[in-house]
Amino acid sequence: MKDAFRASMAWVHTWAGLLVCWVLLLIFAAGTASYYRNEITLWMQPELHAIAPSQDSQAHMAERAVIALQQRAPDAKQWFIGFPSERSQGLQIFWEDKLPPGVEPTRERFHDVMLNPDTGLPLEVRETKGGNFFYRLHFDLHYLPVTLARWIVGFCAMFMLVALITGVIIHRRIFKDFFTFRPGKGQRSWLDAHNITGVLALPYHLMITYTGLMLLMYLYMPTPIVVAYQGNNQAFFGELFREEPAPEPSGRAAKLTSIGNLVAQAQHIWRGSEGDGSHAKVDHMHINNPNDAAASVSLDKAGDGGLIESGMSLTFDGVSGKLLHEVDAEQRAVVQTATAMRSLHEANFAQPLLRALFFISGLGGCLMIATGAVLWAVKKRQAQARRLASGLPPTWGLRLVEGLNLGVIAGLPIAFATFFWANRILPVGLADRDEWEIHCVFIAWAAVLLLAQWRPGRHMWQLMLWLGGLMWLALPVLNAMLTPQSALLTTLRQGPAAVAGLDITAMLLGAAICFAAWRTGKVRSQLSNPRRSARPEHRPELAETEVA
């Protein structure tokens, strides 16, 4: 009975993982990169590397941001101002276009510009999505409609959770497996690698999958909102976080009050509620209906680095400057739980060492998914040993999986590296440059996927791994050649440390992928050597394996 149950769980584990493993690998890889999205954005804007952190007050910065927004989008639906932080030195402004009634909203209605916080002048930086590309790719999958993409991501996350739970159940000796790795044993080696990477960061894998599902729970389980709020998500979140709904524009023009004074007033209120007020800084602010008599200004307080975000915010009348609404630090348990879930998933609270641990755990998740996918193909090829020995081709299912494994596992490092290469190579003045950086990613990935389906053999594995590894290894060299002021030796001495850190990480990733390519070639040469293939550890059934 117990063995039958474990066998059932093994079947569920295999298929729950296999059916979505390629999309899961993309989600995991993009999410792992997102832990450093600010640092990636900084690396991809070398024009910012020489800018020193601003010492000016946030009130002055806000006034400069409003002047810039008045020049660019006086009739926008809303403005957004993001202040410099420890991980981002520019003053960011965003605005959302006001759409005519009946027009379907698209991503193109949002615009952003980076300003010098000391002058308010636009920074002449190259157009790039930077780390935000990986962040959005993680749950929007690019090119796809947002709602459809998030349903796909949620579907894959649910399968991941099932695979994790069943994976724990089917392990008889989970502690022993953690210390077991038998290299050079074909299928056994892949199984050991899958077990180790799975067990090593199992709490992380469970946490990241569960919190990811919870973040979009309102999308996957909409019935309570449909019943209680008639499907009005904005009303639901407004009541949950005690936010006042944005007022409708009146259509009457009115002059905005001094935004700098509102920032100073907000900081004064928060200092009074916090004793020494050491963290009374504004994180960001929204201005709804700017230049309208119904304008409102909302300011959100910056967090203090804790797991639970402060959630403190103030809303002022945008014309008179009167305080309309205040959300204090006394949050309900459900709000604390929601903010803790988000902080855990995005590592918003993590200091550098803990953030690095999240990043390494994310890489471990990628390896766990990749080794599981390869393990399935290795087992199937071994099961078809007689068929292959008779000269028949592998079944279409095995060939499809082998091609997808090669195209995704070896293709993603190439695609992601292409994003950084495109950032340095594409002309700075190219129209829609930020979009072309992303197009290059998917063009490179599509090329690898096609090659993988054409010839999904060990030689192609070796070639693609070498290509991906060398692209990452050579990234700091390319950076030094095309942007000498951001060369690794310079940033190591003068900063920014984040730029040097990304160059070093790229070299480490490249070295690891090149090592995998070298190992693939070494095994390939052993299989082609009759004497070595005759050794006991290369038994005929394992030598049939063609997948790296």
Side-chain angles (χ1 to χ4, degrees), residues 157-207:
M158 182 58 73
F159 270 57
M160 173 80 174
L161 191 60
V162 171
L164 287 170
I165 295 172
T166 52
V168 172
I169 293 173
I170 63 178
H171 268 82
R172 295 171 184 269
R173 304 165 301 178
I174 193 167
F175 185 75
K176 185 177 180 181
D177 286 345
F178 178 66
F179 295 99
T180 303
F181 182 66
R182 294 158 287 189
K185 301 294 184 183
Q187 178 182 327
R188 293 173 188 168
S189 301
W190 287 111
L191 179 60
D192 291 342
H194 183 63
N195 289 338
I196 290 173
T197 51
V199 175
L200 182 65
L202 181 60
Y204 168 83
H205 300 325
L206 289 169
M207 178 276 293

Side-chain angles (χ1 to χ4, degrees), residues 74-143:
D75 300 322
K77 180 181 178 182
Q78 67 170 337
W79 294 343
F80 175 92
I81 301 172
F83 292 95
S85 66
E86 294 178 354
R87 300 177 60 203
S88 177
Q89 296 175 357
L91 177 62
Q92 294 181 308
I93 58 173
F94 298 83
W95 65 91
E96 179 184 357
D97 291 336
K98 193 182 298 180
L99 300 178
V103 175
E104 186 71 18
T106 63
R107 294 188 180 101
E108 285 69 29
R109 71 186 188 280
F110 296 104
H111 311 271
D112 65 281
V113 172
M114 183 80 74
L115 303 178
N116 185 321
D118 291 324
T119 64
L121 297 175
L123 291 167
E124 297 298 330
V125 296
R126 60 192 66 198
E127 283 188 71
T128 179
K129 297 295 184 186
N132 287 327
F133 163 63
F134 293 111
Y135 177 72
R136 305 296 302 192
L137 179 66
H138 173 60
F139 56 91
D140 280 353
L141 303 180
H142 210 70
Y143 295 133

Side-chain angles (χ1 to χ4, degrees), residues 162-291:
V162 171
L164 287 170
I165 295 172
T166 52
V168 172
I169 293 173
I170 63 178
H171 268 82
R172 295 171 184 269
R173 304 165 301 178
I174 193 167
F175 185 75
K176 185 177 180 181
D177 286 345
F178 178 66
F179 295 99
T180 303
F181 182 66
R182 294 158 287 189
K185 301 294 184 183
Q187 178 182 327
R188 293 173 188 168
S189 301
W190 287 111
L191 179 60
D192 291 342
H194 183 63
N195 289 338
I196 290 173
T197 51
V199 175
L200 182 65
L202 181 60
Y204 168 83
H205 300 325
L206 289 169
M207 178 276 293
I208 207 71
T209 308
Y210 181 74
T211 54
L213 282 168
M214 290 298 102
L215 289 180
L216 294 177
M217 182 178 62
Y218 70 93
L219 179 66
Y220 308 135
M221 302 175 67
T223 305
I225 300 177
V226 171
V227 173
Y229 298 89
Q230 290 73 50
N232 188 341
N233 289 348
Q234 192 172 4
F236 165 71
F237 285 111
E239 182 174 338
L240 179 64
F241 294 103
R242 291 188 289 172
E243 296 174 348
E244 290 293 305
E248 293 295 325
S250 68
R252 292 181 288 111
K255 184 180 179 182
L256 272 178
T257 186
S258 170
I259 301 300
N261 286 344
L262 297 186
V263 172
Q265 188 177 343
Q267 292 175 325
H268 177 74
I269 293 172
W270 288 332
R271 284 193 189 97
S273 64
E274 282 194 346
D276 65 352
S278 57
H279 298 293
K281 290 185 177 179
V282 181
D283 183 74
H284 60 270
M285 56 191 299
H286 288 90
I287 302 171
N288 294 302
N289 307 318
N291 302 315

Side-chain angles (χ1 to χ4, degrees), residues 8 65 198 244 360 376 392 396 406 479 501 529:
S8 300
E244 290 293 305
I360 293 171
W376 187 91
L392 293 173
W396 71 269
L406 172 54
N479 179 34
N529 185 332

